[in-house]
Each structure stands twice: as C-alpha cells, then as structure tokens.
Amino acid sequence: MPRTPDPVEDDLDTIPPPPPVFHVEQALLGALLLEPQRLASVTGIAADSFSTAAHAALFAAIRSLPAPDPAEHAKNTKWLDQVLAASRDEARGLSATYLHSLIEICPRPGHAPAYARMIEAEHSRRRLSAAAQRVMHTARDTSLPQRVATTLAEADALTAVVDDIATRFPPHSGSLPRTPAPSPATTHDEEAADEERLLLATATEHPSSVDQMRWLTSADFTHPLHAGLWQCLTALTRRSKPVDPVTVLWEAQHRGLLDAGAEPRQLLDLLAVPFGSAERWGERMLQRSVLGTAHHIGRCIEAFTEDPTATPYQLVVGSRRSLADLSSVRTRWQHATSPEPTKRPARTRATAAPRAGPPTTAPPAARISR
C-alpha cells in the first residue's frame, strides 16, 4: 500500500540541521550549568554572541546570578531553577528538561574556554557578514540623499569590525582565504553609457579639462570602448598633442580600438556632440564607480563569511585586501569633490626705512683767516 505523505513530517525534513556552533553553544552552556564557577574562565563573548535567542537568554541569566556554592549546587537544583526563571523572561520556551539535557551533552566542562573561543569566532563571522550586507544595501539605495557619504560611512563601520576581529584573532602569515572572490557585476546601464559619451565628447572639445581630471581613470567606465577612448584623450594631452575628434580617432586606431568592431564614422559621431561640463560628467561617473566598488567589496567579504572553512584570520586578511580597493577609489573621489585651496597672494617684502647714518657729503672746508 502506497505511503500517504505526512505534511508535518515532510516539513520537518526540509529544516536544515543546526550548524556546528549550535552544538558548541550547548556544550558551553552545559559546562556552566554543571560547574558555574567556570564562568570566570570564559572571556570574549556576551549574550549576543550566541546564535539563538534561547541560548543568549541562558547565558545572560548565568552571568547575572551569583555562582552557587559548589557543594550545595551538587545536592539540589535551586540555582538551576533560578537560571531557568531568569532566562524565561527572554525565552519562554525554555524548560528544565532542556537545561538538564545541556548538562548531559557537555563532553568536558573543563573545555569551557575553548568552547567560548569557538563561539567568539563564529560571532565574528556573523558580525562581518552583517556589516558587509549593510554596505551592499546602502550602495544600492537610491533613496539616500547623500548616497556616497552614507556608503563610505558604512564602509568605515565595516573596517572597524575587521579591526576588532583582528584584535581578537591576530592574522598571521599564510592565512589568505581560499574562497574564490565573486566576479564583478556586469551591468548594462544605458544612462551610464550616455554620460560616458557626453564626457568623451565634451573633453574632446575642451581638452584642458582632461588634465584637471586626473582623479578619473579608465576603470571608472562601464563600456570598454569608452575606457579606451579616455586613454586616448589622456595620452594625447600628456604628450601635448592636438586634440579633436580626428586626432582621437587616429590614436584609437593605434591602440587597436577599431579592431573591436568600432567604425571610424561611429567614433567621430560619438566625439562630436559635447554638452555641459566634462568635470560634472566625470564626477557622476566616479560616484558610480565608488558605489559599484563598495557593493562588490561587500559581496567579496560576504562570500568569505559564507565559506565555513575560512578561519577568523583568513576573514581578516581577505577583508583588508578587499577594502584596499575601496580606499583607492575613495581617495580619488575626495580629490574630485574637494574644493580647490584658495591661493594666497604672494607676500611682498616691505622696503625697510633707511637707517640713520653719517652724512655722505664732506663737510665744508674751514675758512682760513688771514
């Protein structure tokens, strides 16, 4: 007779098993419930270091209550009843049965410091993941009035988390993460392509602006052809060569841009429609580059945290390397948006008043009396 599926049983089958840190938390809590005096050797963690609300409530209750006398604790469950009552304020589903099962699960109460260190490591992973996700969310939030500033502030908060983890787990040599970094997101943003075309045409019309935009690089362009044309413009201005659509086309030919399928007439038409300010278009492109870089860094760090084989040391090293990419584009953004320093007028040396001295003319000759 065919088996009739049980909806409840089938739903339970889809629940993933708890991660290893769940069992580590059970072992630590069991050790502290069995031998409360071992709490003094547990450092580096707090209630929010635990992965479940029930475990967090139990740890908070254990820390809030005075440790019982070991001899009395071995005779009765009075202290355990106090822990259960205090923890139920935050986790009503806890029971005396679960507390006793935690005691039975703990293999070695003397290993409590090692269990705490494991919990600290996994909590660091969750903190890093949450900070990376905040950076990604902020970088994509178009409703923010100061999107770049807010994203960079979240990046600073992410850096602070990395530094704190490095203090707790100092990195050592040879601890690079083995996690493959996600490839950069490829977006076909027509608005970005239009702004790049306007920048190239306006900069060709006003080549003096190219030298003032050293903060913009070919990596800030979303279209490879546009990035190559920007390299042509910067090369011509650096060599003090004439700049116009024809000279840019000639430079593009030498750089192999026409081999990619771009037609000469197409490039001439692209460079012949200037509009607005090249610096303004460049700032918009650089802004998009800052946000895109921040989002990609968040994805990389999130990928590190999702790899269960990555140690805290590897998370620190990998995260710092990723954040270095944002530091570079951030510096260029500050150069682009900072007002130019006011030039002070050159100081002129005041002419000092002549000092009094002996007369420069000889005194009249004395008259000889006869």
Side-chain angles (χ1 to χ4, degrees), residues 226-250:
H226 299 165
L229 290 175
W230 180 252
Q231 291 176 334
C232 294
L233 277 168
T234 55
L236 290 173
T237 55
R238 186 171 58 248
R239 301 198 304 261
S240 300
K241 297 294 185 180
V243 176
D244 61 34
V246 173
T247 59
V248 175
L249 173 63
W250 191 251

Side-chain angles (χ1 to χ4, degrees), residues 6 41 79 93 141 177 199 248 251 256 273 281 299 316-317 340:
D6 185 351
S41 64
W79 186 78
D141 189 354
L199 166 69
V248 175
E251 183 74 16
V273 190
W281 297 125
R299 289 179 61 219
V316 168
V317 175
E340 295 185 3

Side-chain angles (χ1 to χ4, degrees), residues 42 75 88 107 156 231 279 284 300 314 345:
V42 173
K75 296 178 181 178
R88 273 180 172 171
D156 290 339
Q231 291 176 334
E279 289 86 352
R284 290 175 65 88
C300 290
Q314 293 173 324

Side-chain angles (χ1 to χ4, degrees), residues 15-291:
I15 299 176
V21 70
F22 179 84
H23 303 286
V24 176
E25 293 172 2
Q26 287 185 322
L28 175 63
L29 293 172
L32 298 179
L33 292 172
L34 180 62
E35 300 178 4
Q37 67 275 11
R38 295 193 180 275
L39 181 62
S41 64
V42 173
T43 60
I45 61 173
D48 61 356
S49 303
F50 290 78
S51 62
T52 70
H55 290 175
L58 275 175
F59 186 75
I62 292 172
R63 292 185 64 178
S64 65
L65 296 173
D69 178 73
E72 290 294 325
H73 183 57
K75 296 178 181 178
N76 56 64
T77 62
K78 180 180 179 181
W79 186 78
L80 293 179
D81 295 338
Q82 294 175 350
V83 170
L84 180 61
S87 59
R88 273 180 172 171
D89 293 339
E90 300 294 333
R92 297 183 179 277
L94 285 172
S95 64
T97 302
Y98 186 65
L99 267 63
H100 288 284
S101 67
L102 292 176
I103 296 174
E104 295 175 359
I105 288 172
C106 178
R108 296 286 188 277
H111 294 172
Y115 302 150
R117 186 65 166 169
M118 299 174 194
I119 294 171
E120 182 182 8
E122 198 62 23
H123 181 231
S124 297
R125 183 191 304 272
R126 293 196 301 270
R127 290 173 57 208
L128 188 60
S129 177
Q133 290 173 4
R134 286 194 296 270
V135 171
M136 290 189 291
H137 175 75
T138 307
R140 290 293 175 87
D141 189 354
T142 57
S143 65
L144 295 174
Q146 299 292 334
R147 195 169 161 195
V148 172
T150 308
T151 300
L152 292 178
E154 289 294 348
D156 290 339
L158 172 59
T159 303
V161 172
V162 175
D163 291 342
D164 180 68
I165 297 174
T167 302
R168 296 169 179 266
F169 301 89
H172 49 72
S173 59
S175 58
L176 287 174
R178 298 182 295 270
T179 313
S183 57
T186 55
T187 58
H188 300 284
D189 190 341
E190 193 58 33
E191 180 182 359
D194 288 340
E195 292 177 357
E196 292 172 4
R197 286 189 284 265
L198 289 171
L199 166 69
L200 293 169
T202 308
T204 302
E205 180 70 16
H206 305 284
S208 60
S209 63
V210 176
D211 191 56
Q212 300 172 3
M213 298 168 61
R214 295 178 180 270
W215 37 263
L216 189 69
T217 69
S218 59
D220 298 320
F221 289 76
T222 61
H223 197 289
L225 175 61
H226 299 165
L229 290 175
W230 180 252
Q231 291 176 334
C232 294
L233 277 168
T234 55
L236 290 173
T237 55
R238 186 171 58 248
R239 301 198 304 261
S240 300
K241 297 294 185 180
V243 176
D244 61 34
V246 173
T247 59
V248 175
L249 173 63
W250 191 251
E251 183 74 16
Q253 174 179 287
H254 291 162
R255 291 176 175 267
L257 296 182
L258 301 183
D259 298 338
E263 298 179 359
R265 186 71 260 172
Q266 177 187 0
L267 294 186
L268 291 174
D269 292 342
L270 185 153
L271 298 172
V273 190
F275 180 79
S277 166
E279 289 86 352
R280 177 56 181 162
W281 297 125
E283 285 187 17
R284 290 175 65 88
M285 290 171 50
L286 185 55
Q287 173 180 327
R288 187 177 289 106
S289 184
V290 171
L291 297 174

